[in-house]
Amino acid sequence: QVQLVESGGGLVQPGGSLRLSCAVSRRIFGIYVMGWYRQAPGKQRELVGTITPIGRTNYADSVKGRFTISRDNAKNTVYLQMDSLKPEDTAVYYCNVPGWTNWGQGTQVTVSS
């Protein structure tokens, strides 16, 4: 099973910032690549970005330069720092191991005036 708990979502104005957290079970953290995903209503879930166990990151073009993924090994937590938020960033955000299919509840991010 995948044990991942997302938090930190909320309502933010365009241009604002938000930081999401993903608490990861110790049996997973440090072993697998971690990914952040998002799904807007009526849209397919998409990969936002990934971070490897050694901290290498990759991002979708839509968020590159605005979002930053990091990890705190001491806290078993992966973060998604979101800056310069746009209305099109509105979605439910999830963390997961790429290729796995056990999804949590995610956390809602709404960007609106």
Side-chain angles (χ1 to χ4, degrees), residues 50-102:
T50 59
I51 185 166
T52 72
I54 61 170
R56 290 197 175 197
T57 56
N58 191 42
Y59 304 94
D61 289 340
S62 59
V63 307
K64 194 172 298 181
R66 300 187 299 118
F67 289 12
T68 303
I69 300 173
S70 61
R71 61 194 298 152
D72 187 330
N73 294 337
K75 295 181 178 180
N76 292 337
T77 301
V78 180
Y79 302 98
L80 178 63
Q81 177 67 43
M82 304 182 293
D83 299 317
S84 302
L85 283 162
K86 305 174 181 179
E88 50 262 45
D89 295 319
T90 296
V92 177
Y93 284 72
Y94 305 86
C95 60
N96 210 343
V97 177
W100 292 15
T101 58
N102 193 337

Side-chain angles (χ1 to χ4, degrees), residues 1 6 19 25 27-28 38 43-45 51-52 66 70-71 74 81 91-92 94 96 105 112:
Q1 67 175 5
E6 304 93 344
R19 188 178 75 161
S25 66
R27 69 187 68 180
I28 296 174
R38 67 185 182 185
K43 287 189 173 182
Q44 186 175 328
R45 184 184 294 111
I51 185 166
T52 72
R66 300 187 299 118
S70 61
R71 61 194 298 152
Q81 177 67 43
V92 177
Y94 305 86
N96 210 343
Q105 289 186 316
S112 176

Side-chain angles (χ1 to χ4, degrees), residues 13-30:
Q13 295 183 5
S17 298
L18 206 59
R19 188 178 75 161
L20 308 183
S21 298
C22 175
V24 186
S25 66
R26 288 180 291 177
R27 69 187 68 180
I28 296 174
F29 197 85

